[in-house]
Amino acid sequence: MHTQISAEQYGCWPEERCVGIEIVDGMVVVSPSASKRHNRLARLLANALDAAAGPDWNADTDFDVRLQDVPLTNRRPDVIVYRAETIDLTPTRPEHVLLVVEVVSPGSETTDRIVKVDQYAKAGIPFYWRVEQAATGVPIVYMHLRIARPRHARLDQTPAPAPAPAPPTIRRSHPHPISCNT
């Protein structure tokens, strides 16, 4: 029988144990090593987004984003654009993140095309880019915008706080036009 991992248990693990895995509903999901093409594409996207983001945002690759504490769900997107001021905060939370990018690989198609779109949107991450590696060699980027969830409050509770102000637009024209508007 498998046992769920708690946020506290995961927090005690050394970083090298956390590489190459995600935690979904408290269960460890092992990810195979990505191909060189996959890693290169993720790095090129991260570099372009980082250059376009300005001083308030960073773009990096391959670290945990904590989508929920109970049951623990940590995803490790290929590229993450996040608030620069949170660089030393662990774990990175959805409210720190503007955009996540997943490069689809053989074996991750259903998870990247269906499951993660929903998980990232429900967690409140505004933008999700899914990058398909086309046979022509030119990647195809699908952009998903989070659909705002209605805020609910019971009559005997304080209403949910207002959403944070919208993050700035990210634009880059070289080497390829990139624009990420809210």
Side-chain angles (χ1 to χ4, degrees), residues 12-109:
C12 295
W13 289 4
E15 177 61 28
E16 58 271 8
R17 186 173 181 186
C18 301
V19 173
I21 66 168
E22 294 180 316
I23 308 293
V24 179
D25 294 330
M27 305 305 288
V28 175
V29 178
V30 177
S31 301
S33 295
S35 69
K36 290 184 284 187
R37 180 177 305 280
H38 176 281
N39 288 339
R40 179 171 172 71
L41 183 53
R43 183 179 51 80
L44 290 172
L45 281 167
N47 290 348
L49 289 165
D50 198 51
D56 295 333
W57 298 92
N58 293 337
D60 286 310
T61 59
D62 195 38
F63 63 84
D64 285 344
V65 176
R66 173 80 45 93
L67 300 182
Q68 65 186 35
D69 290 313
V70 179
L72 179 61
T73 298
N74 284 349
R75 287 295 190 178
R76 197 171 269 259
D78 293 313
V79 179
I80 307 100
V81 177
Y82 62 97
R83 295 183 186 281
E85 69 213 26
T86 66
I87 193 166
D88 294 319
L89 291 180
T90 301
T92 297
R93 301 235 177 228
E95 59 268 22
H96 307 146
V97 178
L98 174 64
L99 163 71
V100 292
V101 179
E102 294 286 0
V103 178
V104 178
S105 293
S108 74
E109 295 96 335

